[in-house]
Amino acid sequence: MTIAHDHVGIALLAGNAHPELAEAVARLCGATRVPVSIGAFADGETRIRIDGDIAGADLYILQPTSAPTNERLMTLALLADAARGAGAARITAVVPYFGYARQDVRKTPGEPRSARLAARLLADAGIDRLVALELHSPALESAFDMTFVHLEADELMLPAVRGWEVPALTIVSPDAGGLKRAQRYAIALAVPLGVVAKTRPAPDVAVAAGVLGDVRGRSCLIVDDMASTGGTIAGAAQALLAAGAREVHALFVHAVMAPGALERIRAASVGRILTTDSVPGAAPTIERVSIAPLLARTLGRLARAA
Ligand code: R5P
C-alpha cells in the first residue's frame, strides 16, 4: 500500500499504546493511517513491520509512553527506526504523555537522568520532532536535541471547569513545582491562587506540610500535571480541608493512576475530578476531556508549516 502524501498530507502511524486516541486524531485531521504490525518474538522482544509505503512521507507516530513505560518507549524507538529505514522524509513523535519526565535531574548521587536518556534514545532512532503535552517541567525541553513542541491542556480544561459553576473558587497548586501551571488557571478564571507545601520523604510518598494562602470557606480546585499514586492530590485535599476549605476538587492532565490512586483520591473527600485521555484506559469513571482535537490541530499546523 502506498501512502498518499503531499506537502500538507499527514501520514499517521499509531503505536500500540493508545489506538483509540490515534483513531480520533486521524479522523479529525484527515490523516492517512499507516498500516503497521506490532507484535512480539517468542522471547518477548518487540517485532515491528510497517506495511505501507512511506517513502518521502511526513510521518507522525502517536505513542504515549505510559505504562508499561519501558515497552512503550522501546516500541516508539523501533517504529521510528523502521520508518527512517523505509524512507520517511520527516518523523514527528506525538507523545501526549511522556514517561520518565519526572526523572529529569539527579536528585541524589547514583540516580540516572532518565528523561534525558529517553530523549537521546528517540533522537538516535531518527525522530526529528517531538510533540508532548504538559511535561512535568517545561524546562525538560532542553533535554531534547530535536524540534520540540510543548502543548498545554488549559484550553481543553477551562471550559469544563467554567461549566461546573463552582462558587468561591480558589485554584491551588499541590506543590511549588506546579505553581506556574496553577497560576495560568487562576489568571484565566480570575480567581485567587494558593499553594500547598509538599515534601517527598521517599519515592512515591507525598506529604502536604502546609497551605499557603487563605482557603477558609473556599471551593478549592487542585491543578496538577498528573496523578500517579494519587498521594499528592489526596494529601493536598486533606491539608486544604484542614485549613478550612469548604470543598476540594481536582484537575490533572495525565491520569497515570497507579493501582489504588482513585480510591486514595476519593478517600480524601475530593469532589469533582477532571482529567484527559492522554493516558489510555486510566480511570474511565472520572470526567475526561479528549485531547484529540488539540493534537489534530497541532498536526495540521505542523504539516502546513513544513
Ligand atoms: C510532581 O511531583 C508532579 O507534578 C505530581 O504532583 C506527581 O507526579 C503526582 O504523583 P503522585 O500522584 O504519585 O503523588
Side-chain angles (χ1 to χ4, degrees):
M1 174 182 179
T2 301
I3 306 299
H5 50 82
D6 53 32
H7 69 290
V8 292
I10 299 173
L12 183 70
L13 193 160
N16 56 355
H18 207 334
E20 303 82 16
L21 182 61
E23 181 60 46
V25 171
R27 205 174 41 246
L28 288 170
C29 66
T32 304
R33 293 289 299 274
V34 178
V36 60
S37 50
I38 304 173
F41 291 105
D43 62 357
E45 291 179 1
T46 302
R47 183 175 48 77
I48 304 278
R49 196 186 61 238
I50 296 173
D51 295 317
D53 173 9
I54 54 168
D58 184 18
L59 183 73
Y60 297 77
I61 305 175
L62 193 147
Q63 172 90 333
T65 52
S66 46
T69 306
N70 294 346
E71 192 275 326
R72 299 302 192 219
L73 178 65
M74 190 63 194
T75 298
L76 174 58
L78 290 168
L79 287 168
D81 185 73
R84 184 60 79 204
R90 183 174 56 183
I91 301 172
T92 303
V94 184
V95 191
Y97 172 72
F98 188 84
Y100 284 123
R102 286 178 296 174
Q103 294 166 56
D104 50 347
V105 292
R106 290 189 223 282
K107 293 208 171 85
T108 57
E111 290 182 352
R113 284 179 293 182
S114 311
R116 190 163 170 272
L117 179 64
R120 277 171 28 210
L121 170 68
L122 297 181
D124 280 357
I127 291 170
D128 301 298
R129 304 188 294 191
L130 190 134
V131 178
L133 175 70
E134 297 273 0
L135 278 181
H136 170 60
S137 158
L140 179 59
E141 179 177 344
S142 62
F144 292 86
D145 284 335
M146 62 198 73
T147 302
F148 190 86
V149 180
H150 186 239
L151 304 176
E152 291 168 348
D154 308 20
E155 65 176 85
L156 303 172
M157 303 302 234
L158 284 166
V161 173
R162 288 194 180 98
W164 292 352
E165 295 182 357
V166 170
L169 184 65
T170 291
I171 297 294
V172 177
S173 173
D175 50 33
L179 199 48
K180 280 195 175 158
R181 178 181 303 105
Q183 187 180 14
R184 293 200 311 262
Y185 282 78
I187 290 171
L189 295 163
V191 300
L193 175 67
V195 60
V196 173
K198 179 177 96 176
T199 60
R200 275 210 185 276
D204 285 333
V205 178
V207 174
V211 176
L212 306 179
D214 185 3
V215 297
R216 276 172 299 179
R218 306 292 297 178
S219 299
C220 294
L221 173 60
I222 302 167
V223 172
D224 207 358
D225 58 335
M226 71 172 81
S228 177
T229 66
T232 296
I233 300 278
Q238 286 161 344
L240 291 164
L241 290 169
R246 181 165 76 178
E247 56 190 28
V248 178
H249 309 285
L251 174 168
F252 43 88
V253 177
H254 306 296
V256 175
M257 306 311 256
L262 187 55
E263 294 72 14
R264 196 167 289 119
I265 292 171
R266 293 252 189 249
S269 303
V270 174
R272 305 192 74 134
I273 304 174
L274 179 66
T275 188
T276 75
D277 58 355
S278 65
V279 174
T285 56
I286 57 184
E287 189 176 345
R288 292 202 289 181
V289 177
S290 181
I291 62 170
L294 174 63
L295 294 182
R297 273 200 306 283
T298 303
L299 266 50
R301 178 167 58 80
L302 291 174
R304 281 192 300 276

